[in-house]
Amino acid sequence: MPVHTLTDVDFDATVINASGPVLVDFWGNGCAPCSRLAPIVDALAGDYAGKVTVGKLNVHDHPNTAIRFQIHSIPTVLLFKDGQVVESMVGWVPKESLAEAIDRQI
């Protein structure tokens, strides 16, 4: 399952209104920890295909959503369930920690 490229326009339709958990990576250009986290997020999308929606939102290109969810540092990963944030992780996070967070919600 591919990672969804999220925007300010489609965020609610893809994330807030989704059935099931949604993992969102808030990232930005030129962010070294974001670059290190990207392949982990991509791998999780494959590992949890059909169980969890995975998306990425570039905070520089889509600042309204970043402001809405008070993203002050990147990368920040939010895990949503039923339209609500249920987990929040700031900075580079190991794959195991992200998987544990997902497993708690499925």
Side-chain angles (χ1 to χ4, degrees), residues 2-76:
V3 175
H4 297 270
T5 300
L6 301 169
T7 68
D8 285 339
V9 174
D10 69 3
F11 192 87
D12 281 4
T14 306
V15 178
I16 302 302
N17 300 331
S19 60
V22 183
L23 183 84
V24 180
D25 174 18
F26 291 84
W27 68 282
N29 298 326
C31 165
C34 299
S35 297
R36 288 181 49 221
L37 186 63
I40 293 171
V41 172
D42 293 343
L44 289 168
D47 294 348
Y48 288 93
K51 297 178 186 172
V52 176
T53 301
V54 177
K56 295 181 182 183
L57 184 127
N58 183 317
V59 299
H60 301 131
D61 295 340
H62 304 283
N64 294 334
T65 303
I67 291 167
R68 177 177 167 196
F69 290 98
Q70 300 176 355
I71 305 301
H72 299 291
S73 298
I74 54 174
T76 293

